Amino acid sequence: MVTIGELGKDDLHGFSTTESTKNSIVRILEQIRRFQNRIRKHIEDNYVNFVPNYTASDVYIDEGESLLRETEHLLKNVGSDARMALNSANIELTQCLEELREVAMGLKLSQRILKIDDLFQCLEESNATKDYLTALDLLGKLKSLVCSENSSDVDLLFQKCECYDTIKVRYHIQANILQQNLQQRFESLVQFSEKVFPSAKSVNLQVSKDVTQLQDTVLALFEARYNPMKLCDFLLENCLEPIITKPVSVEYCTEKDDYFQINISYSVKAGNKTLRPSYKQVFMYVKILFECLANINIEISTNKYVFGVIGNHIKEKFIKLLVEECLMYSIPDTMDEYQESTLLDDLQKFEQMLTDICFLDADKDRELKDFGEKFNYLFEERFSVKILESARTIMQKDLQDMVIVCEGINAKEVEDNKFLFPQCMISKSTLELTKLMERILRQPPNSHHETDVNDINASNIFLPIISTIVTTYCSDVPKIHDKLLESIPQQSVLFYNNCMYLANWVAKYSDVGIPTHPALVKTLQSTGLRLFKVQEAKQQKIIQEIMKNLDISDTHSIGSAPLKLVRQCLRQMELLKNVWLYVLPETIYNKTFSFILNDFFQDIIRRIISLEDISAAVASELSELISVILERVPDLFKEKHEAFQVSSWMKLQQLQMILNASLQEIVDQWCDGAGILTANYKAEELRHLIRALFQNTDRRAKALSRIV
């Protein structure tokens, strides 16, 4: 091969003559043609005919690079002005220059193909020695030469070559082989497997302790655009999800010489969902899992780590599972649990661990921070729900399970102190409810310590729960116990007492700021009184139904039937006394019985007064009937004299007197409108009785004239 240094003096004199320039070009053209012929055969042997060719491509590359330097030097020294002069002097020389340019392009093409061939040979050697990082670098260089996105003349010419498709196919084959080799090497270094049994599952991970080989493989694998979905899915579905949602057994072994190993076992039966692992256990097992995999967590590009890539694929589902299936169930139910909880600190440390290993991005992934910020609100909500659930459970209890309250407190003391509650019986469940509400009063908002009820102020954030409990009591208890409240008289008065007791409790603590406490007191009182009045009306109706059959219209004798009916009414009221006397406060009992008895008395009086003719025998029988009533009614009260509270008591007594009295005695008792009869009888009522009891005589007429 002739070089520039071997040219004659005429050639070295700046190619000043046309002849010397032409000779230099011709020589180089001849050398290039011979070189290209040899290269063409080499390419055809390797990429067209696939004939074994043992000539090393680097020999051709060296020769080709030398020729390229020669041609570039020659073209550089023959500038545009020189070429124009040469063209004028010798057209043939210009043609030689153009031919030289075309041949030079072909030379560049040959040189590219030679470099590609050399890279393929080096790549095969790297694969053979398992030098995967070098192989990956060679593959990148091949890609820039084979799959160039440039549109230079050489690129376009290369893509039209007969060998181009073969070279491109070979490149893709080598790329796939490298990725498969890397994948196989990775799977030999990081092994994960699962075994499924009828009722259980065992998951095993092994990570090689050969850190250099492992990390080189991981780096090369990710640079080769490894798709980590298989690994990500396995970690999420077989490791992280069970750790979060199931009781699992985790064994972590670091003592083996060759690898770290973690084994996770758990039941696959559709078990009890209440058997959930504690969040502390979940945090610990997740940390152990990432510790086992720590050696693969290398930087694969600037600020991009393997755990970050894994996190990008699974962290959304992982965090959602962690929050919904673990953390939400770890919110305390009671204030004691809240005071002892370290969840916020533990969560912060756990989140920091995930950030430190680059699984989470501190700037973007805020889900765990958001949970921490909402923790107090979530606790308040959970606490409120649990309190309401406890309250509803209490409300379900039997009202008939009673207890005496405020023993020894009489009506006079209650009258003097509005916060005192009279002695009576209430349901034990009502006491449970007040104790529950007192627990709420002992929960100040920004303190972890219970204080005395009297020290609570209106800022207690849980006070609205009390309003909800009371409102729920008024609406739900009548529905829960509706049949018993309707059919059993004692249930109604117990419910009345319960409502009054709760109303008294709310009024007692009105200064602590229970929301809408005046309305709550009124609602409790009206609810209890409404059901009590319904039962009271029912008892009146029972008496009225009995009295409906009372017939005293016979002028000769009323017979024994009226007396039986009256005694039946009295027995009914004695039964009512037995279930009400020691349950209701004494004042309420007396008032209620007086009202029912008064209605009964009024019915008796009205029936007798309405008679048109009362014979002496009937008058005597009616007097005896009234005597039975007057004798037995006082026994319906705790203190017999309380019977005098019945509004019609005196009127009934006076009616008995009238039935037994003479005409003169009646007139004297009236005493011209100033006697004792005037307190309960109207003149017309008394005149009607006189007409019914006495015959029409001048004496009766005279007596009637005085009753005005």
Side-chain angles (χ1 to χ4, degrees):
M1 182 178 71
V2 179
T3 65
I4 290 294
E6 296 172 330
L7 295 174
K9 289 182 179 180
D10 292 338
D11 301 326
L12 294 173
H13 200 294
F15 302 97
S16 57
T17 68
T18 303
E19 188 63 31
S20 62
T21 303
K22 178 180 178 182
N23 290 337
S24 298
I25 294 173
V26 169
R27 289 189 193 112
I28 293 175
L29 284 173
E30 183 61 29
Q31 291 175 20
I32 291 174
R33 287 192 182 96
R34 288 198 301 269
F35 176 74
Q36 284 185 317
N37 287 334
R38 285 184 288 136
I39 295 305
R40 190 174 294 108
K41 186 175 186 307
H42 179 80
I43 294 170
E44 288 176 352
D45 288 346
N46 282 279
Y47 298 103
V48 179
N49 300 322
F50 301 101
V51 176
N53 190 321
Y54 301 104
T55 304
S57 58
D58 55 356
V59 174
Y60 294 123
I61 291 173
D62 291 340
E63 184 179 348
E65 286 178 349
S66 177
L67 284 171
L68 277 172
R69 286 195 297 271
E70 295 281 350
T71 55
E72 288 172 358
H73 180 75
L74 181 59
L75 288 169
K76 182 178 180 182
N77 284 278
V78 180
S80 59
D81 294 338
R83 286 198 301 271
M84 289 178 64
L86 289 170
N87 185 47
S88 302
N90 193 332
I91 295 175
E92 183 182 353
L93 178 60
T94 304
Q95 291 174 344
C96 287
L97 281 171
E98 293 303 322
E99 186 178 357
L100 177 61
R101 288 186 179 283
E102 292 178 5
V103 172
M105 186 179 295
L107 179 61
K108 289 180 181 179
L109 176 59
S110 300
Q111 195 69 5
R112 174 179 288 193
I113 295 173
L114 285 173
K115 285 183 179 179
I116 289 172
D117 184 60
D118 184 57
L119 288 171
F120 275 134
Q121 292 181 30
C122 294
L123 181 60
E124 289 173 357
E125 292 173 4
S126 297
N127 282 331
T129 60
K130 298 181 180 179
D131 186 359
Y132 295 126
L133 283 176
T134 301
L136 192 65
D137 182 59
L138 292 170
L139 196 66
K141 293 178 180 178
L142 273 169
K143 183 179 180 182
S144 66
L145 293 172
V146 176
C147 305
S148 175
E149 296 180 356
N150 297 327
S151 57
S152 66
D153 293 339
V154 176
D155 291 320
L156 295 174
L157 189 61
F158 175 51
Q159 292 169 12
K160 293 178 181 179
C161 287
E162 188 176 358
C163 63
Y164 175 74
D165 290 335
T166 303
I167 291 173
K168 192 171 183 179
V169 168
R170 185 177 178 184
Y171 162 76
H172 287 297
I173 290 172
Q174 289 298 323
N176 288 333
I177 290 172
L178 177 60
Q179 193 166 57
Q180 289 173 10
N181 289 339
L182 288 170
Q183 181 75 34
Q184 289 172 2
R185 172 54 61 89
F186 178 73
E187 290 178 356
S188 70
L189 297 170
V190 180
Q191 299 178 20
F192 44 93
S193 61
E194 56 180 307
K195 291 182 180 179
V196 181
F197 304 98
S199 61
K201 190 173 185 178
S202 177
V203 178
N204 186 271
L205 277 82
Q206 287 185 186
V207 181
S208 173
K209 288 186 176 180
D210 187 344
V211 177
T212 301
Q213 185 179 191
L214 175 62
Q215 294 188 347
D216 284 350
T217 303
V218 170
L219 181 59
L221 191 61
F222 276 91
E223 286 186 5
R225 296 187 179 181
Y226 165 65
N227 185 346
M229 284 307 298
K230 182 179 178 182
L231 174 62
C232 294
D233 290 344
F234 183 88
L235 291 175
L236 179 65
E237 295 171 10
N238 294 289
C239 302
L240 293 172
E241 184 174 349
I243 285 173
I244 293 170
T245 61
K246 299 174 180 289
V248 299
S249 171
V250 175
E251 297 177 1
Y252 182 41
C253 178
T254 61
E255 298 172 358
K256 296 185 182 295
D257 295 334
D258 299 331
Y259 53 82
F260 299 103
Q261 182 179 30
I262 185 170
N263 183 270
I264 304 171
S265 303
Y266 50 90
S267 172
V268 292
K269 287 184 177 179
N272 189 349
K273 289 189 176 182
T274 59
L275 296 175
R276 296 177 181 274
S278 70
Y279 79 86
K280 288 179 181 287
Q281 191 177 58
V282 170
F283 288 178
M284 180 179 67
Y285 288 160
V286 171
K287 184 178 179 182
I288 289 173
L289 177 63
F290 282 117
E291 280 180 5
C292 182
L293 294 166
N295 284 342
I296 72 169
N297 190 31
I298 61 171
E299 189 174 20
I300 54 179
S301 63
T302 306
N303 296 326
K304 185 177 182 181
Y305 288 80
V306 172
F307 281 175
V309 175
I310 294 173
N312 288 338
H313 285 87
I314 67 172
K315 64 185 174 185
E316 184 177 347
K317 291 181 180 178
F318 167 73
I319 293 175
K320 184 177 181 182
L321 271 174
L322 184 66
V323 172
E324 294 181 358
E325 299 297 331
C326 176
L327 297 180
M328 289 299 293
Y329 290 92
S330 302
I331 297 169
D333 290 330
T334 67
M335 184 58 72
D336 290 340
E337 291 177 3
Y338 176 73
Q339 293 166 357
E340 297 170 1
S341 175
T342 59
L343 176 57
L344 282 180
D345 291 337
D346 296 339
L347 179 61
Q348 187 176 14
K349 292 175 183 176
F350 180 71
E351 183 186 16
Q352 188 61 50
M353 182 273 294
L354 294 178
T355 302
D356 290 343
I357 64 175
C358 300
F359 183 81
L360 295 183
D361 185 329
D363 297 327
K364 297 179 181 178
D365 302 319
R366 288 197 48 84
E367 290 82 359
L368 295 181
K369 285 186 178 66
D370 290 343
F371 177 86
E373 291 170 0
K374 293 190 295 185
F375 176 74
N376 288 334
Y377 168 77
L378 292 170
F379 163 68
E380 292 164 15
E381 189 176 50
R382 172 70 63 85
F383 182 77
S384 300
V385 169
K386 288 295 181 182
I387 288 288
L388 289 175
E389 287 176 355
S390 298
R392 287 192 175 92
T393 300
I394 292 171
M395 293 175 198
Q396 298 279 346
K397 293 185 178 182
D398 187 4
L399 296 177
Q400 201 70 22
D401 191 6
M402 300 176 290
V403 63
I404 296 176
V405 292
C406 306
E407 197 166 2
I409 297 179
N410 56 43
K412 181 66 171 63
E413 291 174 301
V414 173
E415 187 177 340
D416 294 339
N417 186 346
K418 65 178 182 178
F419 290 124
L420 287 179
F421 195 73
Q423 176 178 319
C424 65
M425 299 189 82
I426 65 172
S427 302
K428 288 182 179 179
S429 59
T430 303
L431 282 182
E432 287 185 57
L433 206 58
T434 57
K435 289 178 181 177
L436 181 66
M437 292 190 291
E438 284 169 3
R439 278 180 54 203
I440 297 171
L441 290 179
R442 291 194 293 271
Q443 313 306 325
N446 297 315
S447 172
H448 288 174
H449 303 284
E450 291 190 352
T451 60
D452 186 80
V453 172
N454 295 325
D455 295 334
I456 300 298
N457 56 50
S459 63
N460 189 324
I461 56 177
F462 297 111
L463 290 178
I465 306 176
I466 294 177
S467 300
T468 304
I469 290 174
V470 171
T471 304
T472 302
Y473 186 89
C474 292
S475 63
D476 288 9
V477 173
K479 296 175 185 176
I480 294 169
H481 304 284
D482 59 338
K483 292 182 180 179
L484 294 177
L485 288 170
E486 181 181 353
S487 59
I488 301 177
Q490 194 175 72
Q491 294 273 322
S492 300
V493 296
L494 270 173
F495 180 69
Y496 168 79
N497 289 350
N498 293 343
C499 288
M500 297 302 118
Y501 187 82
L502 291 173
N504 179 267
W505 185 92
V506 173
K508 180 180 177 181
Y509 294 115
S510 59
D511 59 337
V512 304
I514 299 173
T516 65
H517 66 270
L520 293 177
V521 171
K522 289 181 180 179
T523 301
L524 283 164
Q525 291 173 338
S526 62
T527 302
L529 187 60
R530 175 175 57 82
L531 289 179
F532 187 14
K533 288 298 182 183
V534 168
Q535 188 59 239
E536 185 181 88
K538 183 177 180 180
Q539 295 303 317
Q540 285 179 293
K541 189 174 181 181
I542 291 172
I543 301 298
Q544 289 167 3
E545 285 295 316
I546 297 171
M547 292 293 290
K548 190 165 61 175
N549 298 317
L550 184 70
D551 184 6
I552 55 175
S553 60
D554 194 316
T555 56
H556 300 291
S557 174
I558 62 173
S560 60
L563 186 58
K564 288 180 180 179
L565 292 174
V566 167
R567 284 175 173 166
Q568 185 179 345
C569 290
L570 293 172
R571 277 197 302 273
Q572 177 63 31
M573 284 186 274
E574 285 169 356
L575 292 173
L576 195 59
K577 167 199 169 184
N578 293 336
V579 296
W580 279 8
L581 180 60
Y582 295 104
V583 175
L584 282 167
E586 185 176 352
T587 303
I588 302 299
Y589 174 86
N590 292 340
K591 182 178 178 181
T592 304
F593 251 74
S594 295
F595 181 78
I596 295 173
L597 285 168
N598 187 63
D599 193 59
F600 172 58
F601 286 6
Q602 290 281 16
D603 192 14
I604 295 290
I605 293 169
R606 186 176 60 256
R607 287 172 181 272
I608 293 175
I609 290 177
S610 64
L611 292 174
E612 296 294 334
D613 186 11
I614 304 173
S615 64
V618 170
S620 177
E621 290 173 341
L622 291 174
S623 176
E624 289 179 11
L625 186 144
I626 292 173
S627 291
V628 170
I629 296 172
L630 295 176
E631 288 173 8
R632 291 180 59 177
V633 162
D635 293 332
L636 296 176
F637 295 88
K638 194 173 184 180
E639 301 292 338
K640 291 187 176 183
H641 65 83
E642 297 292 348
F644 301 155
Q645 291 184 28
V646 180
S647 300
S648 299
W649 176 265
M650 184 61 69
K651 188 171 185 177
L652 187 63
Q653 278 187 324
Q654 290 175 339
L655 179 58
Q656 185 185 34
M657 181 275 294
I658 292 170
L659 291 172
N660 295 320
S662 65
L663 187 59
Q664 186 58 48
E665 288 173 332
I666 295 172
V667 171
D668 291 344
Q669 292 288 329
W670 179 257
C671 192
D672 296 327
I676 59 173
L677 287 178
T678 57
N680 296 293
Y681 285 90
K682 296 177 182 179
E684 186 55 39
E685 289 178 327
L686 197 58
R687 289 163 63 86
H688 184 86
L689 278 171
I690 290 173
R691 291 192 186 96
L693 287 167
F694 299 99
Q695 292 182 348
N696 188 8
T697 61
D698 291 340
R699 197 158 158 255
R700 188 184 80 173
K702 185 178 178 181
L704 288 173
S705 65
R706 297 183 60 185
I707 308 298
V708 291

